[in-house]
Amino acid sequence: MEKRGPVLHIVVVGFHHKKGCQVEFSYPPLKRGEGHDSHSLPEEWKYLPFLALPDGAHNYQEDTVFFHLPPRCGDRTTVYGVSCYRQIEAKALKVRQADITRETVQKSVCVLSQLPLYGLLQAKLQLITHAYFEEKDFSQISILKELYDHMNSSLGSTLLEGSQVYLGLSPRDLVLHFRHKVLILFKLILLEKKVLFYISPVNRLVGALMTVLSLFPGMIEHGLTDCSQYRPRKSISEDAGSQENTPRLDDSVSVSAAAVPHTHSGMGEEGRKMAGNRLAEGQKANVPFSQSETTCNGAQSSNGTVQRLKVPSHASPASSESDWETLDPSILEESNLKGGERENTASEQAENLPSKGMGSESFPITVQPQANTGHAVLVPGLVSGLEEDQYGMPLAIFTKGYLCLPYMALQQHHLLSDVAVRGFVAGATNILFRQQKHLSDAIVEIEDAQVQIHDPELRKILNPTTADLRFADYLVKHVTENRDDVFLDGTGWEGGDEWIRAQFSAYLHALLAAVLQPDNEKTLSDFGTAFVAAWKNTHNYRIWNSNKHPALAEINSSHPFQGQYSVSDVKLRLSHSVQNSERGKKIGNVMVSTSRSVVQTGKAVGQSVGGALTSAKSAMSSWISTFTQSTQSLGD
């Protein structure tokens, strides 16, 4: 059998003047038995053309897209897509096909990979896309086949252990742009809220979104394998029918343990599943990458292939069609419920542990490695199914219907209101997404660095504590002070990209250590009492809390910036309130108009200036008195 690596397909998507976006070439073919030039798509990947060639692409000469596709069978492995878009004038082509009737030709070259090496794939793909367009003859596909072979021979899972996984993702730029709001974004995702990022073009969108995720320890490397479990919309009638059935899937996340029959036998099955996974992991070293990883996503397989254990289905394992597209609706409902029972039994029991007491010795617990030997020791999480380190990282945020879609096509809009989708972190460039605010909890306007949180109660929960403001101020100061250091360039330590990720890792570890301490109300108040209470109700917290993590005993269980309030804290709070409250923004505008008037007239005395100063003074006095009262109540 031919050995294959992590890259599943190289795909070319073009815009046809009559048919719209369509796949024009794929190597290997996306469907067995089809040719390289087939337009046919697997049902699970029906949105591929619209993701690879984004909405509004004609406004830009070139662009880059990161996107996620669902797996094509029962194993829960996200397919990571990177697409490079370009357009060229039709008259510049050496060979012009008959169906090219417009003045410009728009195409994207796309890589579908099983490894989340976004920046590395982008760097290689941009070079090849440029060369492919320079040929000025799109029938010359040999360069694309060479790209497939080159990537599969040079890329491997060991790259996930190094810094190359973060190539192109700059937390320094993120902090410089969003400043202290980066921490609010971090907490929003911890709470598993519906977060929509918005900007155009796509490369700025996906860069900002994935950089935020890179602040979570291990998230890019191992935390996204289950982040794209959605069902494509086939028709309005089918979608309406599926929405009637799917609430049971979503509800199973929080169903009580008493309502789950055969709990212990289910746990045993979960244990056998993990044992099978460990066996598969041990055997991977002796088989090609594709034999253990790519079978479900379209690569060829043999009878001797070592495959991941999957939830049994009624469909043939060799079928490239998904269960929900091939089964009768009544069978689908039964299959989903059975699969849900198998997958969720362990998590259901784990999520109900707090009410029974975490000290129960009868509950089987995976003990993470205690010693840190200088490199991350990863083991399969008993409940999450993710590769976890000794602290339980990455958190199981993007599991059980919480999606991560770095770029979302307009054709996927229905996912925002799908009852099977309990939340999402998604990116969009189409204004229709931004206008429908009722479908999200927060909209992140990247251009203006604004985080619009619709619910006043959620705003209150996410309002940063004094310790949080100190942490954010610490980040901003170190990044801004080092921004002109020519030797730093984002790669140095203090104020650099790795340093920022280390600060967020320390913050999260301290939060995790704090929740494990008895009588910890005062400690947790530094992180935000309301925030911690909300976080403890999330799926990711319950999954993390179901295991013991002895390594956290070595972590200082207090906020990194705890301490007594001081005058500088009042200034921080004042600055934060001015920048973020509506009243504060009005005061800022008055002060700006005042300073402009002073500069223009050269006099500090005058009717217009005096009026502006008077209004600013009265507004500031009123606001400061309100702020003083809230500060006193905070201190009390």
Side-chain angles (χ1 to χ4, degrees), residues 148-212:
Y148 174 83
D149 294 333
H150 165 72
M151 283 190 167
N152 278 327
S153 63
S154 62
L155 300 179
S157 57
T158 55
L159 289 172
L160 293 180
E161 300 170 10
S163 60
Q164 290 194 21
V165 73
Y166 298 120
L167 187 65
L169 306 179
S170 175
R172 290 188 77 243
D173 292 342
L174 190 75
V175 172
L176 284 170
H177 189 58
F178 280 94
R179 302 178 75 82
H180 66 276
K181 294 172 190 171
V182 172
L183 185 57
I184 294 175
L185 293 175
F186 187 80
K187 284 188 164 186
L188 258 175
I189 296 172
L190 268 180
L191 293 181
E192 297 175 355
K193 294 302 179 182
K194 297 179 178 180
V195 186
L196 183 72
F197 286 72
Y198 179 84
I199 198 175
S200 189
V202 182
N203 68 85
R204 293 184 64 190
L205 174 74
V206 297
L209 188 151
M210 296 309 299
T211 301
V212 172

Side-chain angles (χ1 to χ4, degrees), residues 288-535:
F289 188 100
S290 62
Q291 287 184 303
S292 60
E293 297 289 342
T294 64
T295 306
C296 292
N297 291 320
Q300 302 294 324
S301 63
S302 65
N303 293 333
T305 298
V306 178
Q307 299 183 22
R308 293 184 178 182
L309 297 179
K310 311 175 189 67
V311 178
S313 67
H314 296 275
S316 166
S319 172
S320 64
E321 298 294 324
S322 61
D323 287 351
W324 54 76
E325 300 297 352
T326 57
L327 294 180
D328 178 83
S330 61
I331 301 176
L332 168 65
E333 181 178 358
E334 178 187 355
S335 172
N336 280 341
L337 287 173
K338 287 181 179 178
E341 287 173 6
R342 289 189 185 93
E343 282 192 314
N344 295 339
T345 304
S347 62
E348 288 160 2
Q349 191 177 49
E351 290 173 4
N352 286 278
L353 276 178
S355 61
K356 298 179 181 180
M358 282 301 295
S360 173
E361 294 298 327
S362 61
F363 181 75
I365 291 178
T366 300
V367 179
Q368 307 290 358
Q370 297 186 33
N372 187 357
T373 57
H375 61 279
V377 180
L378 301 174
V379 297
L382 178 65
V383 182
S384 72
L386 305 176
E387 295 289 318
E388 298 176 359
D389 67 11
Q390 63 266 39
Y391 305 103
M393 301 292 101
L395 293 173
I397 295 174
F398 295 101
T399 59
K400 298 290 183 188
Y402 190 74
L403 305 182
C404 175
L405 304 172
Y407 172 67
M408 198 174 195
L410 191 58
Q411 289 75 9
Q412 295 174 297
H413 184 273
H414 68 281
L415 293 176
L416 299 185
S417 54
D418 192 329
V419 292
V421 175
R422 62 187 181 87
F424 54 81
V425 176
T429 59
N430 193 301
I431 196 169
L432 291 176
F433 285 97
R434 186 180 64 172
Q435 290 174 338
Q436 296 185 309
K437 296 183 178 180
H438 64 284
L439 295 177
S440 63
D441 295 312
I443 296 179
V444 182
E445 297 270 8
I446 299 176
E447 183 70 47
D448 302 324
Q450 295 296 324
V451 182
Q452 300 177 17
I453 301 172
H454 314 318
D455 180 17
E457 198 60 36
L458 180 57
R459 280 202 299 270
K460 192 182 298 182
I461 289 173
L462 291 169
N463 191 36
T465 65
T466 299
D468 278 350
L469 286 175
R470 291 173 185 164
F471 172 68
D473 189 57
Y474 177 73
L475 294 176
V476 172
K477 280 184 177 178
H478 276 72
V479 170
T480 52
E481 287 172 1
N482 292 317
R483 69 183 302 175
D484 296 324
D485 188 341
V486 345
F487 298 105
L488 186 65
D489 194 27
T491 59
W493 178 241
E494 193 162 301
D497 291 338
E498 292 295 331
W499 179 86
I500 294 170
R501 280 190 283 265
Q503 304 312 306
F504 276 94
S505 178
Y507 180 94
L508 187 55
H509 286 163
L511 172 60
L512 294 169
V515 298
L516 296 177
Q517 300 302 312
D519 302 321
N520 56 6
E521 289 81 5
K522 184 169 175 55
T523 302
L524 293 180
S525 66
D526 284 328
F527 294 97
T529 304
F531 165 76
V532 174
W535 176 53

